[in-house]
Amino acid sequence: MILSSDTAEETKQPAMSTTAADAKAEHFELNNGTIRVTVTNYGATITSLYVPDKHGKVADVVLGFDSIEAYVKDNASYFGCIVGRVANRIKEGKFHLNGVDYSLPKNNGPNSLHGGNKGFDKVVWDVVEQKDGEQPSITFKYESHDGEEGYPGDVIVTATYTLTSSKTLRLDMEAVPKNKTTPINLAHHTYWNLAGHSSGNVLEHLVQISGSQITPVDKNSIPTGELLPVKGTAFDFTSEKKVGSSIREVPGLGYDHNYVLDYGEKKEGLKHVAKVKDPSSSRVLNLWTDAPGVQFYTANYVNGVPGKGGAVYEKHSGLCLETQGFPNAINQPNFPSIVVVPGDKYKHSMLFEFSEE
């Protein structure tokens, strides 16, 4: 389905089942003449995103696969998807809430990661609305049930992708618990390579992150509960610098850390997260959000993954900027709460702004 901007705006209610068990995984396209985005309702995933460079040359700047089957078979890297019910790591797959101890699948060493063995990235979402017009959009919906991957209560989740202008993509995520208090922390897990998805590593990309502190982690990548100023460390991206300039000083294989976002410049009610620039193409991405943190991840565990068009993705072949609540927040009372009660609504928005410099 192509949602193009050269027709009058029209809302479409797709003729498909509203049950995830019957829903079919498909590709859909949003196209406003400048940006072209392909998404699938399997994991509410961005599978390609084409933007022009300073010469008007268009390239696909996100890592991924050619077929939906490839995402279903093995998307261990979480290319392009929405992860939940709780993104990032929960220590030892355990938490205590309202007098009840909960145990989750441990799918990342001793921890539970990105919602467990079958998180929101591994289910078929319903397509509940599509709009053509100057701001083409698509809305996905998923109903997560009580006890799913160990989490309490039924939750209705929606994700809407909208091309809000010729150079911007917006993602609005919402979640409403129906009958039990539950932790909710959704994240969008696209890997960016602004030179083009098959162009090699991103170590020459320039990055600026609007965060002057990180949440340092232990040997199992669980935050210690402290807030560490980044000034004078390898984690300091408060001023623009190359991804690769200090990466060898980072313990482990590269960056995989949560930055505490500062309250600075705003756009559409969202605060600035990061600026990414590829010097070779002059493509620039500015990211904005209303979440308190962002996980900066440099594809440390991507190793020989067969991707789109015959590409093979290796370590550092892309970078992720996953806006989020803090990792393991459910077990850290000094972190911003990710607990949502019935009657309240979880909201999380991201604005991706593309340009050339």
Side-chain angles (χ1 to χ4, degrees):
M1 178 67 196
I2 296 178
L3 313 181
S4 64
S5 59
D6 39 34
T7 59
E9 181 171 310
E10 178 183 354
T11 300
K12 302 180 181 181
Q13 301 296 337
M16 63 165 51
S17 169
T18 57
T19 63
D22 296 332
K24 179 183 176 184
E26 301 177 74
H27 277 118
F28 305 86
E29 186 175 275
L30 304 178
N31 190 343
N32 63 10
T34 303
I35 301 175
R36 177 161 54 95
V37 187
T38 305
V39 295
T40 174
N41 55 327
Y42 184 80
T45 300
I46 290 180
T47 60
S48 66
L49 196 157
Y50 289 87
V51 290
D53 67 7
K54 63 181 177 181
H55 302 297
K57 182 181 178 182
V58 173
D60 181 2
V61 295
V62 302
L63 276 59
F65 303 115
D66 288 317
S67 69
I68 293 173
E69 289 73 25
Y71 288 91
V72 175
K73 183 179 178 182
D74 183 18
N75 189 13
S77 299
Y78 299 94
F79 290 143
C81 58
I82 291 177
V83 293
R85 182 176 307 192
V86 174
N88 217 300
R89 295 169 178 88
I90 293 179
K91 184 178 181 179
E92 297 175 355
K94 298 176 183 177
F95 66 91
H96 183 85
L97 183 63
N98 290 349
V100 180
D101 291 318
Y102 292 95
S103 294
L104 313 172
K106 297 177 183 178
N107 61 331
N108 180 250
N111 308 316
S112 187
L113 176 70
H114 291 332
N117 292 326
K118 191 177 181 182
F120 294 175
D121 61 298
K122 296 179 178 66
V123 297
V124 178
W125 298 47
D126 291 318
V127 182
V128 293
E129 187 175 70
Q130 299 176 41
K131 289 182 180 178
D132 293 345
E134 292 185 1
Q135 296 188 340
S137 67
I138 188 164
T139 298
F140 300 123
K141 173 182 166 184
Y142 178 65
E143 297 191 27
S144 177
H145 297 294
D146 184 28
E148 186 174 313
E149 295 300 301
Y151 289 98
D154 299 323
V155 178
I156 297 176
V157 186
T158 59
T160 300
Y161 291 103
T162 307
L163 292 178
T164 53
S165 77
S166 63
K167 291 291 185 73
T168 56
L169 169 69
R170 183 173 175 125
L171 170 59
D172 294 295
M173 296 173 278
E174 297 185 353
V176 179
K178 295 170 68 175
N179 43 27
K180 288 183 182 179
T181 300
T182 185
I184 301 174
N185 182 23
L186 306 181
H188 176 69
H189 211 291
T190 282
Y191 288 70
W192 302 97
N193 187 325
L194 297 184
H197 76 96
S198 59
S199 62
N201 69 56
V202 294
L203 298 179
E204 295 295 311
H205 277 42
L206 297 166
V207 171
Q208 178 266 323
I209 299 175
S210 300
S212 55
Q213 297 175 303
I214 61 167
T215 51
V217 295
D218 64 18
K219 64 179 181 179
N220 293 318
S221 297
I222 295 294
T224 62
E226 306 163 275
L227 301 182
L228 177 71
V230 299
K231 187 175 181 179
T233 75
F235 300 99
D236 189 354
F237 284 90
T238 51
S239 297
E240 192 176 87
K241 73 174 184 181
K242 289 183 180 181
V243 172
S245 63
S246 305
I247 199 167
R248 292 183 180 177
E249 300 170 36
V250 178
L253 300 175
Y255 295 100
D256 190 9
H257 296 78
N258 175 63
Y259 282 72
V260 180
L261 293 173
D262 300 328
Y263 288 88
E265 184 184 0
K266 284 201 166 187
K267 178 169 288 193
E268 296 183 22
L270 307 177
K271 59 193 172 187
H272 189 254
V273 176
K275 176 184 177 182
V276 183
K277 180 180 178 180
D278 166 46
S280 67
S281 67
S282 295
R283 290 189 186 91
V284 174
L285 167 64
N286 275 283
L287 174 61
W288 311 76
T289 193
D290 51 2
V294 61
Q295 190 85 4
F296 178 46
Y297 174 56
T298 48
N300 308 325
Y301 299 101
V302 175
N303 183 15
V305 178
K308 290 178 283 189
V312 177
Y313 304 135
E314 302 291 354
K315 185 169 71 170
H316 308 322
S317 55
L319 62 87
C320 299
L321 292 161
E322 309 158 51
T323 58
Q324 60 181 3
F326 295 176
N328 197 40
I330 190 64
N331 292 312
Q332 284 285 3
N334 58 318
F335 284 179
S337 176
I338 60 168
V339 174
V340 187
V341 302
D344 284 354
K345 181 185 288 186
Y346 166 94
K347 292 184 177 182
H348 178 185
S349 295
M350 305 175 76
L351 185 71
F352 306 92
E353 181 183 40
F354 300 93
S355 59
E356 307 88 36
E357 284 186 358

